[in-house]
Amino acid sequence: MRGIPALVLAGWLGLAGQADAQDIVAADYAEPTLAYPHGVLGDEEEWAALMVTVREASGEGTRTYRIPARADMVFEDTAPRLWDITGDGLPEVVAVAAHQRYGAQLVVLGLVGGTIGTIASTPMIGTRFRWLAPVGAADLDGDGHIEIAYVDRPHLAKTLRVWRFTPESFTEIATLTGLTNHRIGEDFITGGLRNCGQGPEMILADARWSRILAVRLGADGLAATPIEAFRGRASVDAQLGCPD
């Protein structure tokens, strides 16, 4: 398993400069670009920048900072996510970026020493036009650390990957094949996380889009349990809502 130092700025993103900020309150993509014509989300338009809004430390208003992607990268994603990755109760920004030669990677941006920068990232997949689809972030196994889950190449490899964030490292800890959460051309990601009173579960589809599965992380790794037949996005959304 490959580990990446969690608090080293990754370098492929520009920094926003000093942000006298208390916490991140919003994020959005900006500056449409056709520089990476993959089209996995239904069109060939991706994003050249990320806008991050922070609450000032003084508590007197907010400020929005522009985070540019490097010239050979874009944000290839549905929307940035505000997820608590460090476990301090405050959100970081989780995004999917893609390199012109090496494909997608998951990136976590947060406030480090008053600056917005990359605090964790997965390796790029390694090939142009290869993508990943985030699932969610939570303490999936009750060990006190936050894990981030995503499906690596949901149209090809169909592999669920789970990475654990600690103050010292960001490390892949579990994988499971035969799962997916996206079909080519859809502008949304199917499934996500739920907690119906017995701890967090990842809700995904099987590789054939025939069954909805609940996946848990335990001491023995990832285990998938079939729930019901897949009957479109609405059936998955219903499961996310913990039906009786």
Side-chain angles (χ1 to χ4, degrees):
M1 295 183 183
R2 294 166 290 184
I4 299 176
L7 297 181
V8 177
L9 298 181
W12 65 264
L13 285 172
L15 297 182
Q18 292 299 308
D20 183 19
Q22 182 179 22
D23 59 296
I24 295 169
V25 296
D28 202 1
Y29 294 127
E31 302 176 26
T33 177
L34 299 176
Y36 189 75
H38 188 189
V40 73
L41 293 167
D43 59 43
E44 295 184 351
E45 186 175 271
E46 308 303 343
W47 308 98
L50 174 66
M51 308 301 289
V52 179
T53 301
V54 299
R55 182 181 292 114
E56 302 288 2
S58 64
E60 299 178 357
T62 61
R63 185 179 300 179
T64 299
Y65 295 86
R66 174 182 177 271
I67 314 294
R70 207 172 70 182
D72 53 0
M73 299 192 77
V74 299
F75 293 101
E76 186 182 19
D77 201 359
T78 57
R81 299 145 197 85
L82 297 187
W83 291 344
D84 178 15
I85 304 303
T86 61
D88 63 357
L90 299 175
E92 282 70 46
V93 180
V94 179
V96 180
H99 189 276
Q100 291 286 355
R101 291 182 60 190
Y102 302 118
Q105 69 176 156
L106 194 76
V107 180
V108 182
L109 295 100
L111 291 166
V112 181
T115 296
I116 299 174
T118 306
I119 64 171
S121 61
T122 64
M124 298 170 193
I125 289 172
T127 302
R128 175 176 170 87
F129 295 160
R130 297 294 184 265
W131 189 65
L132 61 87
V135 177
D139 181 359
L140 295 175
D141 59 355
D143 69 346
H145 298 297
I146 303 296
E147 285 83 31
I148 308 178
Y150 64 90
V151 178
D152 175 7
R153 291 161 288 174
H155 325 115
L156 295 171
K158 301 182 181 180
T159 299
L160 176 64
R161 298 188 182 276
V162 178
W163 287 66
R164 177 177 292 139
F165 183 96
T166 74
E168 296 79 28
S169 65
F170 188 51
T171 307
E172 185 179 37
I173 61 167
T175 65
L176 186 64
T177 60
L179 300 167
T180 189
N181 60 349
H182 185 264
R183 291 183 286 199
I184 292 175
E186 292 180 338
D187 62 358
F188 58 87
I189 294 169
T190 299
L193 284 179
R194 76 177 186 183
N195 189 333
C196 300
Q198 297 179 331
E201 297 177 303
M202 294 166 275
I203 303 301
L204 302 163
D206 67 5
R208 297 182 178 180
W209 291 93
S210 62
R211 301 288 293 177
I212 301 172
L213 304 175
V215 184
R216 286 181 173 271
L217 176 65
D220 297 325
L222 294 166
T225 302
I227 301 175
E228 64 168 296
F230 175 79
R231 298 186 301 276
R233 183 185 184 185
S235 64
V236 179
D237 290 346
Q239 285 296 333
L240 289 172
C242 298
D244 294 333

